[in-house]
Amino acid sequence: MERKYPTMFSPITIGARGRWPGIIFKNRIWTAPTGAHLLGAGEPYPNEAVIAHYREKARGGAACITFSAQNMDRWMVGHPDEFHSDPDIFNMQYHNYWYRLTSAVHFFDAKISLELLAFSRHEEIDGEVVCWSVNGENDEETGEWCPALDKAAMERMCADYAQAAKNAVRVGFDMIMLHLGHGTFPAQFLSPLSNQRTDEFGGSRENRARFPMMLIKAVRDAVGPRVPIEVRVSGDELTEGGGTIDDCIDFLKRVEEDIDIAHVSCGTIMDDVTQTRMHPVEFYPAGVNKEFARQVKESGFSKPVLTLGAFQKPELIEETLASGGADIVAMARGTIVDAQCVNKAAEGREDEIIPCLKCFVCLSYDMEEEFCCSGNPTVGREYILDQFENKNSTPKRVAVIGGGPAGMAAAQFCTERGHKVTLYEKDDKLGGTINFAKYATFKYSLNDYMNYRIGMMKKLNVDVRLGVEATPEMIEAEHYDVVMTALGASNIVLPIPGHDDPRVMCAVDVFGHADEIGQKVVLIGGGEVGCEAALYLAMEQGKDVSIIEMMDRIAATSAYAQELALYDRVPKYCHLYLSSPVTQITPTQVGYKGTDGIEHFLDADTVVFSSGRKPLEDQAEKFRNCAPKFFKLGDCLKASNIRNANRTAYDAAAQI
C-alpha cells in the first residue's frame, strides 16, 4: 500500500544487540513525556484518570507512549503538594495499577516507556534528610548547606535508578528513558556551566560524563541487553558557558554502546529564557530543535536519534525524517490537543488535526485546578465523560448564533453527533475575535487553529450564514430544537478622563490596522493580550510602544512559559511602566502616577486599551425562549479564552 508519509509510517527496530533482534515499532512517532500532574491527588500509582489519558494517546496511533515521570528524588520535600503527582514504581504493592497502564497501551499495538527524572537529590541518612548538590552549595530556597554528591551517594543513586528500571520492566514497560538534559540533576554534571568540581567528576568532558555514565551502566545492568534505553540530552544549553552541541555529541558517543535512542532537545532550567525554546512558545517556529538532532546524526553517531519541539504537522515530520534529520519524532502537546493526530495523518485526514495553540495550559501545574487543554475539551476528562454525555440523543435542529471560536466549536461538535446545525454570523467571515491572529507572525498557531475550525465547517457541510445578524424573532420563527448563543464579549474601556478621545482604540483592533496607528503608542494594560498587541506594533510594525500597567508585573495570568517569553521580549521592544495607574488621556499625551507618587506624561499619537472584556450576556439572554433548549457559550457566558469556548461548546453539544 502506498502511503502519503512513507518514512513517518515505516517501522523501526530498536535495541538489536547480539542475537537479540530488537523491538519493532510500528512507526516513527513517539509521544514525548508529558506529566500526569493534576490528574491525580498524590496517589503513588497511575489512577483511572491517568490510565485513560495515556490509553487515548495509544489509541491515537503513536508507536511509543512515554509515561512521565517517576520522580527519582524520593525524599524531595513538598513534591506531591506542588505537582499533585508522585507515582511510586519502587513499591510493588501497586503493581496491578501499573499493569493496567501498560496493558492499556499495549492493547493498541503501542509500546510504553517510563521516564526516570530527577531535578534534585535528597536522601535520608541517620534519620535526617540530606540535600545533595553537584558542587557543594547552599540551597536557594532554604539556605541549608547541600554537600557535593560523593561517590558513595552516587552509587546509591545509581542503585535507585536500577531498581526503578527493573520494577518498570516487571510491570510491563518496554523501555526506560533517562532524562539527562534540561538542567536536571544528572545534566548538571554534564554542563560546564553548572559543574565546577575539581575531582574526577568535574573539569574535562570525560570527567563530567562520568556520573551520568554510571547511571546508564546501572540501568543497563539491571534490565539486561533486551530492554532499550533512551536518553534525553540538551543538544545545546543555549546559555553562555553552558553545554554545546559538541559537548552533546561527545557524551553520546561515550555512551553509544549502552543506549538505544538519543532524544536531542535543548536548553536548561537554569536559564529561564531557554525554557521558552525547550518547550517552544509561539515565538518559535515548528520543529525548532531539529537542527541539533541533525548535527548528532551527521556526527556519525550510530544509534537512532529522536527530535522534538513543536512538531505536529505531518508534512514537517515526513520532511525531517526523510531528509535524514532524525530517525524518530516525538510530540508532546501535539498529542495532548489531538491524541488522534497520528491516525489522522495515516488516513489522509491532515485537515482534521487539531492544531496546538501553544498556550501552555496543559503544563501550568501552578495555575490550573485540573489537567486540561485549550484546543481539546476532552483532555483530562477521558475517564469520566461517558457518564455525562447523552447516549440516547436523536438528531435535532440546532441554531448557533455567532461564528467565533465557541460558535464554530459548537457547530462542529453538534454536527459530528448527528445534529443539523445552522450557524449565523453577522460579519462576512468566520473567526470572530481571533481573526487578529492572521496579522501577527508569532500568532501562527492560533491562525492555524482558526483555519482548522473554518475548514471543518466546510468539511462537515455546516449551514453557515454569513452577513446575517440573527434576531430572537427570526430564530423563534424557525422552530429550532436547540439554540446556542456565542455572541462574544465587548471591550472594556476604563473611565479615565479622556477615554473618549478619537485616538483611543482597543488592543484586538490594532492588528491589521498598523497604517492607521501613529508612531508613538501608549498601551494601557500589561496582560497577555496587551503584551502581544504591543509586540505586534513594536516588533513587527516598528512603532515606539510604551506599556503602562498598574500591577507590579506583566502577563500576571499567563502560563509560566508564555510569561517567561513575554518578560524576555517585551522589555527589549517596549518601554515598560509597572505599578503605575493611568491618570488621564490628553490630546497629545497619557498621564500616569509613577512609583515615586508623581504624575508623569508620555507622548502618544495613539492610545490602546487592553483592560478586559465584558460578556454580552444580556444580548444572549434574549434568545432563551426561542427553543426548548438554550445554551450560552464562550465569552457571552464568561469573558475568558479559547479553553472556555471549547469547554462550554463541547459540554452543551454532549447534552442534547
Side-chain angles (χ1 to χ4, degrees):
M1 180 180 70
E2 185 175 346
R3 290 186 179 273
K4 187 173 182 179
Y5 307 107
T7 317
M8 180 177 173
F9 290 103
S10 62
I12 184 171
T13 299
I14 302 294
R17 191 174 274 105
R19 289 183 294 175
W20 170 243
I23 300 174
I24 298 175
F25 292 76
K26 62 184 178 182
N27 60 49
R28 306 296 182 103
I29 303 300
W30 267 227
T31 69
T34 52
H37 308 299
L38 299 176
L39 282 176
E43 297 95 334
Y45 51 81
N47 64 19
E48 182 183 4
V50 171
I51 293 170
H53 177 67
Y54 283 96
R55 178 196 67 214
E56 292 310 303
K57 286 190 175 188
R59 192 198 301 272
C64 183
I65 311 301
T66 308
F67 181 86
S68 175
Q70 173 58 50
N71 174 26
M72 295 306 297
D73 190 357
R74 301 165 64 190
W75 293 271
M76 180 180 177
V77 178
H79 178 79
D81 293 335
E82 184 177 356
F83 294 122
H84 313 282
S85 175
D86 199 24
D88 184 6
I89 197 73
F90 295 97
N91 191 338
M92 292 304 285
Q93 175 184 350
Y94 310 116
H95 70 279
N96 55 325
Y97 288 92
W98 290 104
Y99 270 122
R100 292 179 196 176
L101 170 67
T102 58
S103 295
V105 170
H106 289 150
F107 183 91
F108 296 101
D109 190 28
K111 310 302 181 187
I112 184 166
S113 180
L114 176 65
E115 179 186 33
L116 304 184
L117 174 66
F119 282 108
S120 55
R121 177 66 176 177
H122 295 72
E123 195 174 9
E124 188 174 2
I125 301 176
D126 297 330
E128 294 187 5
V129 175
V130 175
C131 171
W132 296 103
S133 65
V134 175
N135 306 304
E137 56 203 6
N138 290 318
D139 184 275
E140 290 184 1
E141 295 184 4
T142 67
E144 68 176 306
W145 174 250
C146 300
L149 193 72
D150 59 30
K151 185 72 174 292
M154 290 179 187
E155 291 173 350
R156 291 192 297 271
M157 190 169 178
C158 287
D160 281 349
Y161 270 74
Q163 188 62 56
K166 196 171 184 178
N167 287 1
V169 174
R170 286 177 60 191
V171 297
F173 282 93
D174 303 288
M175 289 198 297
I176 304 298
M177 194 197 109
L178 307 180
H179 201 323
L180 307 180
H182 294 176
T184 58
F185 192 71
Q188 292 174 37
F189 279 84
L190 285 171
S191 172
L193 180 64
S194 54
N195 187 342
Q196 302 299 318
R197 296 172 70 121
T198 57
D199 62 1
E200 62 182 310
F201 296 97
S204 67
R205 285 174 174 167
E206 178 183 8
N207 287 354
R208 298 199 309 272
R210 203 177 299 275
F211 174 54
M213 290 176 68
M214 287 172 59
L215 289 175
I216 295 171
K217 182 67 164 54
V219 171
R220 174 57 70 202
D221 289 345
V223 301
R226 297 189 174 192
V227 177
I229 295 175
E230 310 171 272
V231 297
R232 173 170 284 196
V233 292
S234 292
D236 194 310
E237 290 190 315
L238 305 174
T239 305
E240 186 176 356
T244 66
I245 186 63
D246 291 334
D247 293 310
C248 171
I249 292 170
D250 178 85
F251 172 69
L252 289 176
K253 289 192 173 181
R254 292 178 188 277
V255 299
E256 197 165 6
E257 294 306 311
D258 277 329
I259 69 171
D260 300 284
I261 303 175
H263 292 219
V264 183
S265 183
C266 77
T268 170
I269 59 172
M270 293 178 286
D271 185 327
D272 284 347
V273 175
T274 73
Q275 293 193 60
T276 67
R277 179 167 170 174
M278 180 193 306
H279 307 295
V281 298
E282 60 190 358
F283 298 103
Y284 294 105
V288 66
N289 298 324
K290 65 180 188 287
E291 63 184 86
F292 302 124
R294 184 176 293 276
Q295 290 181 71
V296 172
K297 286 282 294 178
E298 293 175 350
S299 74
F301 178 72
S302 65
K303 298 297 174 67
V305 174
L306 177 150
T307 187
L308 68 167
F311 282 93
Q312 192 183 28
K313 291 185 177 180
E315 298 86 353
L316 176 61
I317 294 173
E318 178 67 20
E319 188 279 329
T320 300
L321 295 171
S323 67
D327 302 287
I328 303 164
V329 168
M331 286 186 278
R333 290 167 291 166
T335 57
I336 292 177
V337 70
D338 194 342
Q340 284 288 323
C341 67
V342 179
N343 283 340
K344 289 177 180 178
E347 296 163 7
R349 297 187 290 127
E350 306 93 328
D351 57 338
E352 296 181 23
I353 294 174
I354 307 170
C356 173
L357 291 158
K358 296 185 177 65
C359 64
F360 284 89
V361 167
C362 58
L363 299 179
S364 295
Y365 319 132
D366 58 335
M367 291 178 56
E368 300 297 330
E369 296 300 323
E370 61 180 343
F371 183 70
C372 57
C373 171
S374 290
N376 187 339
T378 70
V379 170
R381 305 193 289 170
E382 298 93 340
Y383 73 109
I384 203 169
L385 276 177
D386 63 345
Q387 299 179 32
F388 294 98
E389 296 176 349
N390 183 358
K391 297 183 176 64
N392 300 311
S393 178
T394 56
K396 295 178 176 63
R397 294 180 64 241
V398 181
V400 176
I401 304 169
M408 289 192 291
Q412 179 175 339
F413 296 145
C414 289
T415 303
E416 289 172 340
R417 290 174 179 273
H419 304 298
K420 177 64 176 177
V421 177
T422 302
L423 187 153
Y424 297 87
E425 168 53 51
K426 67 179 181 180
D427 204 347
D428 60 357
K429 59 183 178 298
L430 293 171
T433 56
I434 63 174
N435 265 290
F436 80 89
K438 68 181 69 171
Y439 299 106
T441 59
F442 58 85
K443 299 301 294 182
Y444 71 92
S445 295
L446 182 58
N447 191 48
D448 287 346
Y449 174 82
M450 180 180 69
N451 290 333
Y452 154 75
R453 284 284 186 222
I454 294 173
M456 291 305 297
M457 296 300 96
K458 297 176 182 177
K459 189 163 189 174
L460 294 171
N461 294 315
V462 175
D463 182 4
V464 176
R465 302 185 184 182
L466 297 176
V468 177
E469 184 168 3
T471 65
E473 295 76 18
M474 175 197 307
I475 299 302
E476 188 171 9
E478 291 291 333
H479 302 291
Y480 288 103
D481 301 304
V482 183
V483 170
M484 298 183 178
T485 54
L487 300 181
S490 59
N491 294 311
I492 296 174
V493 176
L494 299 176
I496 298 167
H499 70 275
D500 54 353
D501 188 289
R503 296 171 302 123
V504 173
M505 60 193 307
C506 292
V508 72
D509 298 322
V510 307
F511 296 89
H513 297 92
D515 292 344
E516 305 166 25
I517 296 172
Q519 182 60 25
K520 285 189 174 294
V521 180
V522 173
L523 194 144
I524 302 171
E528 185 171 328
V529 173
C531 288
E532 290 183 340
L535 286 176
Y536 164 73
L537 292 173
M539 191 168 67
E540 299 195 353
Q541 302 300 324
K543 305 292 185 182
D544 183 354
V545 180
S546 298
I547 299 176
I548 305 177
E549 168 58 51
M550 64 186 303
M551 295 179 64
D552 61 358
R553 56 187 291 203
I554 59 171
T557 61
S558 298
Y560 84 98
Q562 192 71 359
E563 182 181 12
L564 292 176
L566 292 173
Y567 260 101
D568 175 46
R569 285 164 176 76
V570 168
K572 291 179 180 176
Y573 293 95
C574 308
H575 311 290
L576 194 56
Y577 301 88
L578 299 177
S579 302
S580 301
V582 175
T583 55
Q584 60 178 305
I585 299 170
T586 76
T588 58
Q589 296 179 313
V590 173
Y592 69 94
K593 183 177 288 186
T595 55
D596 56 6
I598 299 173
E599 187 176 31
H600 301 268
F601 288 88
L602 296 174
D603 292 339
D605 301 318
T606 303
V607 180
V608 179
F609 271 100
S610 179
S611 44
R613 294 176 300 150
K614 180 181 179 181
L616 294 173
E617 190 168 20
D618 292 342
Q619 292 90 323
E621 280 293 332
K622 294 177 182 179
F623 293 88
R624 179 171 290 278
N625 295 318
C626 293
K629 280 188 175 291
F630 170 75
F631 298 91
K632 291 180 293 194
L633 312 176
D635 283 349
C636 73
L637 178 64
K638 176 184 177 182
S640 186
N641 49 34
I642 289 181
R643 176 196 168 194
N644 176 62
N646 281 317
R647 175 70 72 94
T648 54
Y650 184 92
D651 291 359
Q655 295 176 55
I656 65 175

